[in-house]
Amino acid sequence: MNIHEYQAKALLRSYGAPVSDGRVVLKAEEAKTAAGALDGPLWVVKAQIHAGGRGKGSFKEADAGEKGGVRLAKSVEEAEMEAKRMLGRTLVTKQTGDAGKQVNRIYIEDGSGIETEMYLALLVDRQTSRVSFVASTEGGMDIEEVAESTPEKILSFSVDPATGYQAFHGRRIAFNLGLTGKQVKQCVALMGTLYKLFIEKDMEMLEINPLIVTDAGDLKCLDAKIGFDGNAVYRHADIAELRDTTEEDPKELEASKYDLNYIALDGEIGCMVNGAGLAMATMDIIKLYGAEPANFLDVGGGATKEKVTEAFKIITSDPNVKGILVNIFGGIMRCDVIAEGVIAAVKEVGLQVPLVVRLEGTNVEKGKEIISNSGLDVIAADDLKDGAEKIVKAVKG
Ligand code: ADP
Ligand code: MG
């Protein structure tokens, strides 16, 4: 689960990490008061979307020379004007894809004098099963690009969970970033604070890009991007409250209401499968036959008819879907339950695209019988390969 920059900064502030003072704005009318509550003489007006690269992004239908989603303002009036110009419009960045994201919230914060910009992140490293620090002198840049072109400029190491964060971790980062004097001490304290926050709130990723040295020589977190482990959010009521569902894919949001493991993708073949492994294999084989999956969906072992119906409705609601492949290897999941769910969904929402069904395993005969008695126009398949071939052929001709 991701949150906005202003929410991330509030969390950082509550743990004592250095961030600028700022105000969030939901309506244009609030912008002037918000800016007026800050010190000035420089304000930064920042579009709040769940994606990075805002500064270098651009708005749809932008005027010539118009700036991206992070703008400087030299007066309260200017800050208000910039906030008004951004609210409600669609910002496209490297991370949003071509569709972009609508800006519904603006963060106005005090402008900082910047001496240097650096990169810092904490993340869960799956290789070592530990929390890792990633630091680089190349701040404000796309870290993937730095990793590609100048990997030697990235410092990365993991923290032993038995000892936790130690001052030497912070010093290692400080010296690598070329910090001196009081900054070293600040760095040791800040890294400890970030590590504590990361662990206590079950984060998956915490990225400060840029971490800066201000013109007064102090460290400050100028941007903050946080992702939480979705499976642990139930332990943190305060974090769950920060969820902004308008930032999520509506299909994934609907799926989460029914506890379905669904992930929206860009392809044309909708998939309904039981078991994550089989779902992955199904996506692979669709690609092998020359098409692209429109989604990942594992309906799980104990799915009810209602759950299957909802899953099918979510798949058909995707306008990119040109065909559907139902691939069930019934173990705990019974084929007749799947068949009933699919039919109930088709009765409700209709079926405009070809549907290939492959059923195998528990109650397979009953399942096939339900489908053939339904009068539905279904293409039956014998196995995974047959199913993939048939749906790709039906869609691509
Ligand atoms: P994004 O990473 O989405 O582009 P950032 O918050 O990192 O957004 O802002 C982009 C750039 O804008 C930063 O690298 C920094 O140079 C500048 N910037 C951001 N916030 C401030 C601020 N409060 N004061 C001065 N400059 C800022
Ligand atoms: Mg940034």
Side-chain angles (χ1 to χ4, degrees):
M1 188 195 109
N2 299 324
I3 59 174
H4 289 290
E5 174 198 1
Y6 78 91
Q7 297 168 322
K9 283 185 170 166
L11 255 183
L12 289 171
R13 191 179 293 117
S14 73
Y15 270 63
V19 291
S20 304
D21 194 8
R23 301 281 183 280
V24 69
V25 168
L26 299 161
K27 295 192 197 81
E29 306 88 87
E30 301 162 358
K32 198 167 179 180
T33 318
L38 303 173
D39 294 338
L42 192 64
W43 288 260
V44 180
V45 185
K46 308 178 82 172
Q48 300 295 292
I49 53 171
H50 285 188
R54 294 162 301 166
K56 294 194 181 90
S58 58
F59 281 89
K60 287 206 165 159
E61 283 120 39
D63 303 332
E66 194 186 332
K67 287 163 285 182
V70 178
R71 301 175 178 189
L72 298 179
K74 294 200 179 69
S75 67
V76 168
E77 289 72 27
E78 214 181 303
E80 181 193 23
M81 190 189 76
E82 296 293 9
K84 273 188 178 163
R85 283 176 73 190
M86 287 197 263
L87 269 171
R89 287 173 68 202
T90 302
L91 181 59
V92 181
T93 81
K94 240 181 158 175
Q95 293 183 12
T96 61
D98 295 340
K101 275 185 178 268
Q102 192 177 349
V103 177
N104 299 317
R105 303 176 192 204
I106 297 281
Y107 190 48
I108 305 180
E109 71 173 8
D110 274 327
S112 294
I114 304 174
E115 199 65 50
T116 36
E117 298 202 1
M118 302 161 291
Y119 177 92
L120 185 93
L122 280 91
L123 43 90
V124 178
D125 178 6
R126 286 166 204 279
Q127 207 99 50
T128 56
S129 312
R130 291 175 174 187
V131 172
S132 280
F133 277 97
V134 180
S136 173
T137 50
E138 306 305 289
M141 310 247 304
D142 206 344
I143 196 67
E144 284 83 6
E145 261 175 53
V146 180
E148 181 84 20
S149 55
T150 48
E152 70 281 2
K153 288 187 176 164
I154 297 178
L155 167 74
S156 175
F157 61 85
S158 61
V159 175
D160 187 335
T163 55
Y165 175 81
Q166 304 286 319
F168 75 84
H169 292 123
R171 283 197 294 272
R172 194 170 163 193
I173 292 171
F175 295 135
N176 203 272
L177 292 176
L179 302 178
T180 52
K182 65 176 176 181
Q183 294 153 11
V184 177
K185 216 171 157 188
Q186 289 179 359
C187 182
V188 170
L190 175 58
M191 297 308 136
T193 301
L194 297 181
Y195 185 82
K196 184 168 187 276
L197 181 60
F198 190 95
I199 299 290
E200 286 185 0
K201 299 295 181 188
D202 288 313
M203 292 179 188
E204 234 167 36
M205 192 217 41
L206 194 181
E207 187 184 61
I208 311 291
N209 186 22
L211 168 69
I212 62 158
V213 175
T214 66
D215 48 7
D218 297 307
L219 286 187
K220 193 186 249 185
C221 306
L222 215 60
D223 189 9
K225 212 173 156 197
I226 295 180
F228 297 92
D229 177 353
N231 291 316
V233 171
Y234 78 96
R235 303 205 290 196
H236 308 283
D238 56 333
I239 302 299
E241 262 178 37
L242 303 179
R243 187 169 174 192
D244 179 359
T245 51
T246 64
E247 290 284 329
E248 297 174 26
D249 183 291
K251 298 188 294 300
E252 287 181 12
L253 186 63
E254 191 64 17
S256 73
K257 285 186 201 156
Y258 296 95
D259 220 8
L260 291 160
N261 296 311
Y262 172 95
I263 302 195
L265 300 167
D266 301 328
E268 67 274 56
I269 312 257
C271 308
M272 181 148 99
V273 190
N274 69 316
L278 188 59
M280 299 288 268
T282 304
M283 299 194 319
D284 278 347
I285 203 163
I286 286 172
K287 278 174 169 284
L288 186 68
Y289 283 104
E292 294 287 328
N295 66 280
F296 167 92
L297 171 62
D298 164 19
V299 290
T304 58
K305 176 186 150 193
E306 287 70 30
K307 221 167 137 172
V308 173
T309 306
E310 289 309 323
F312 200 84
K313 278 159 66 178
I314 291 166
I315 292 174
T316 51
S317 75
D318 181 349
N320 291 330
V321 167
K322 303 284 181 286
I324 299 169
L325 173 57
V326 175
N327 183 24
I328 301 297
F329 197 96
I332 301 167
M333 186 76 235
R334 290 168 14 218
C335 292
D336 54 319
V337 173
I338 291 285
E340 279 176 357
V342 168
I343 287 162
V346 172
K347 275 196 183 133
E348 220 175 294
V349 295
L351 184 64
Q352 267 78 40
V353 295
L355 169 65
V356 171
V357 178
R358 179 263 180 146
L359 296 175
E360 193 54 80
T362 310
N363 289 3
V364 59
E365 291 313 325
K366 213 167 152 194
K368 285 183 175 167
E369 197 181 303
I370 290 168
I371 289 195
S372 65
N373 289 344
S374 71
L376 253 187
D377 189 12
V378 173
I379 306 167
D382 300 325
D383 56 27
L384 177 56
K385 181 170 168 286
D386 188 39
E389 251 180 324
K390 281 179 171 157
I391 191 62
V392 174
K393 190 155 174 260
V395 168
K396 301 242 168 185

